[in-house]
Amino acid sequence: MQPLLKNESSVLIFTLSGLNETMENRYVLLSFTALYYPLMLFCNITLIITILLHKKLHEPMYLFICNLCVNGLFGTSGFYPKFMYDLLAHDHVISYDGCMIQIFVIYSSLMCDYSTLTVMAYDRYVAICRPLEYHSVMTNQKILKCILFCWLTSFICMSFLIMLIYRLTLCGFTIEKLYCEIWAVARLSCFSTTVNNVFGYIVILTYFGDAVLIFFSYIYLIRKCRKSIEGRRKFIQTCVPHLLALINVTTAFMFDVLYSRYGSRNVPQSLRNFMALEFLLIPPILNPLIYGLNLTTVRQQVIRMFFKKQVRISE
């Protein structure tokens, strides 16, 4: 299918070529996606409803977990519906504006994940190192500011990156991925993309710096928690899930960055697709499972919600 062009250089429709070599397996992929996506929706929505409906869970840590789940729903909504449509369609195309929206949704969600994990690390620091001041520090206003910070910073960063993409004149229309990705679009530019590259690396280093900061904060917390049995228990129950979620998102983020910029075309397309999808596959399902299964209070409320007539759980 030929792309629509404006002034012979501005692409109005992109072709997504990520499925070209795997179309013989499209029904297998469609079946897997049709099972996985509703499961992911169910796990995240269940945790969100559980936290919102029970006042016992209206604590900073649980509200940040709720925010993490809402963000997971937001990010995956930018990929899975379009992906399932492409598995059934003959032509895998997306409009220019649709491509920009998909980039905005997917990558602002990834940034929001990092910001949420950062404020969760701060929350755990206050809870463990300054327990007597916890409720005076983590007020409702502070929680609201933290949640707004997570969303607004990611939206502002992505808006600026999208503006930098809009200024480019493109000389190609084929994106070699399953979805629109900012670096893949920038590579289609007819001219230099130095400004885009510089700002892109600044954003990457900033959010990777958040991960390093969180890791160092946990090293400090481990040292503090060694001094008491209660401290060790609190760290294992609330911080270990957070650390697993951080490792999960960071690994997925590095997969995407390394694949997008340095990936070899000699690698089989199925492996390239998995590397590109890792942060859309693993974190959205793992986050609600990690927190829902590990945190006793959340697990009890989830069980009560589904089996309140069959199971009696002590307060």
Side-chain angles (χ1 to χ4, degrees), residues 37 43 50 74 86 99 110 156 190 200 207 221 290 295 300:
Y37 187 48
C43 291
T50 301
F74 171 68
D86 284 343
C99 185
L110 180 60
I156 291 169
C190 306
Y207 281 93
L221 288 178
I290 286 174
L295 297 176
Q300 287 182 347

Side-chain angles (χ1 to χ4, degrees), residues 259-277:
Y259 166 72
S260 299
R261 286 156 179 75
Y262 311 110
S264 171
R265 293 187 180 182
N266 297 325
V267 177
Q269 190 175 58
S270 57
L271 179 57
R272 281 185 283 154
N273 287 342
F274 175 77
M275 291 175 68
L277 288 178

Side-chain angles (χ1 to χ4, degrees), residues 134 144 172 218 299:
Y134 181 69
L144 180 60
Y218 276 127
R299 185 173 65 248

Side-chain angles (χ1 to χ4, degrees), residues 177-272:
K177 293 188 77 168
L178 297 170
Y179 57 90
C180 284
E181 188 262 324
I182 198 161
W183 180 252
V185 175
R187 282 192 297 189
L188 300 175
S189 174
C190 306
F191 307 107
S192 172
T193 58
T194 302
V195 175
N196 298 64
N197 294 341
V198 169
F199 189 76
Y201 280 117
I202 289 173
V203 171
I204 289 169
L205 290 175
T206 299
Y207 281 93
F208 186 72
D210 285 347
V212 173
L213 179 65
I214 296 170
F215 279 121
F216 275 108
S217 71
Y218 276 127
I219 292 173
Y220 177 77
L221 288 178
I222 289 171
R223 289 176 179 172
K224 293 285 290 185
C225 291
R226 286 187 307 177
K227 299 176 182 178
S228 71
I229 295 175
E230 177 61 23
R232 287 197 296 270
R233 187 196 65 78
K234 187 180 291 187
F235 180 86
I236 291 171
Q237 186 177 39
T238 63
C239 295
V240 170
H242 183 198
L243 198 55
L244 290 174
L246 178 66
I247 293 170
N248 181 25
V249 173
T250 303
T251 303
F253 178 53
M254 293 309 297
F255 259 123
D256 184 66
V257 169
L258 294 175
Y259 166 72
S260 299
R261 286 156 179 75
Y262 311 110
S264 171
R265 293 187 180 182
N266 297 325
V267 177
Q269 190 175 58
S270 57
L271 179 57
R272 281 185 283 154

Side-chain angles (χ1 to χ4, degrees), residues 51-52 57-71 108-109 111-120 122-123 138-155 207:
I51 291 171
L52 293 180
L57 301 179
H58 291 182
E59 294 289 331
M61 181 179 69
Y62 301 119
L63 293 175
F64 292 142
I65 292 170
C66 183
N67 188 59
L68 207 59
C69 293
V70 171
N71 181 57
S108 61
S109 173
M111 292 177 185
C112 188
D113 247 5
Y114 263 106
S115 298
T116 303
L117 291 171
T118 302
V119 298
M120 287 174 73
Y122 173 72
D123 172 69
M138 298 304 294
T139 61
N140 290 335
Q141 290 79 8
K142 187 71 167 283
I143 296 168
L144 180 60
K145 287 178 182 178
C146 287
I147 291 174
L148 287 175
F149 166 79
C150 295
W151 289 95
L152 291 179
T153 52
S154 60
F155 283 176
Y207 281 93

